[in-house]
Amino acid sequence: MSLLAGLRDTDRSLTKQAASRIPPGIGKVLSAVEETAESTKLWCGAATAMAWLGGWRGRKAAVAGLGALVMAQLISNGLCKQLADRPRPPKEWFPHDEVDDRPDSSSFPSGHTAAAVAFTAAVAPTWPAVGAACAVPAAMVALERVQSGAHYPSDVAAGAAIGLVSAWLTHRAPRHWL
């Protein structure tokens, strides 16, 4: 079996498991967190709170988080989705109606996950406690993207990788850029 065929089989299996094994109540919580993170509202709100309440460290963490988030969005949504025209998982795999409310854009990569991971990973070195707190909704967003039928697990993994690289690059940018 080729590597791509193995990846497709794994994606199919994990997507179907997430769709059918996550209890509806937990699915609703995941959806609520994802809705809060939609259009980066959650991360912008967190950055505002950090900048307002966290003094110098909070402002530094907020700027790093937002810088990484913007970079991740540009890479995932502005570049990768334009190059990879991957269809969303088939609607028949999902026993719920959340699958009807998903975007028409390419499935690869998950821009929501890229933004969540980028923000969290960029905040964590400056303010570890807040980074740890942000990791919880970031993980929930990633799981929801598969459970809802918006993405395959490999889309989410690619989004997470883009987020990590964006955070890493943000922390290595010359200080006058941030």
Side-chain angles (χ1 to χ4, degrees):
M1 173 167 39
S2 75
L3 182 62
L4 284 177
L7 179 61
R8 275 192 300 271
D9 289 345
T10 301
D11 262 347
R12 181 183 314 110
S13 174
L14 291 174
T15 302
K16 287 180 174 183
Q17 286 179 36
S20 64
R21 291 190 178 164
I22 294 177
I26 292 175
K28 289 186 187 310
V29 171
L30 293 173
S31 292
V33 171
E34 186 277 328
E35 183 61 34
T36 305
E38 184 72 32
S39 301
T40 68
K41 294 179 294 218
L42 175 62
W43 315 117
C44 290
T48 300
M50 286 187 289
W52 185 37
L53 301 171
W56 177 85
R57 179 171 66 169
R59 288 187 295 280
K60 182 178 177 183
V63 168
L66 292 174
L69 180 147
V70 167
M71 185 183 311
Q73 289 288 298
L74 289 171
I75 294 168
S76 63
N77 296 332
L79 178 65
C80 294
K81 281 188 184 285
Q82 307 311 313
L83 297 174
D85 189 23
R86 185 179 195 187
R88 302 282 172 168
K91 288 183 177 188
E92 305 80 55
W93 292 0
F94 300 91
H96 50 71
D97 61 356
E98 285 183 65
V99 75
D100 295 329
D101 186 32
R102 59 187 187 172
D104 294 328
S105 60
S106 175
S107 179
F108 184 86
S110 170
H112 284 79
T113 303
V117 170
F119 184 84
T120 301
V123 165
T126 303
W127 203 347
V130 173
C134 289
V136 174
M140 293 172 79
V141 165
L143 180 58
E144 188 279 341
R145 302 314 289 159
V146 176
Q147 181 272 332
S148 69
H151 291 284
Y152 293 97
S154 60
D155 301 335
V156 169
I162 290 168
L164 290 172
V165 168
S166 297
W168 183 82
L169 289 171
T170 298
H171 279 284
R172 274 131 191 94
R175 290 296 156 225
H176 64 275
W177 285 9
L178 295 177

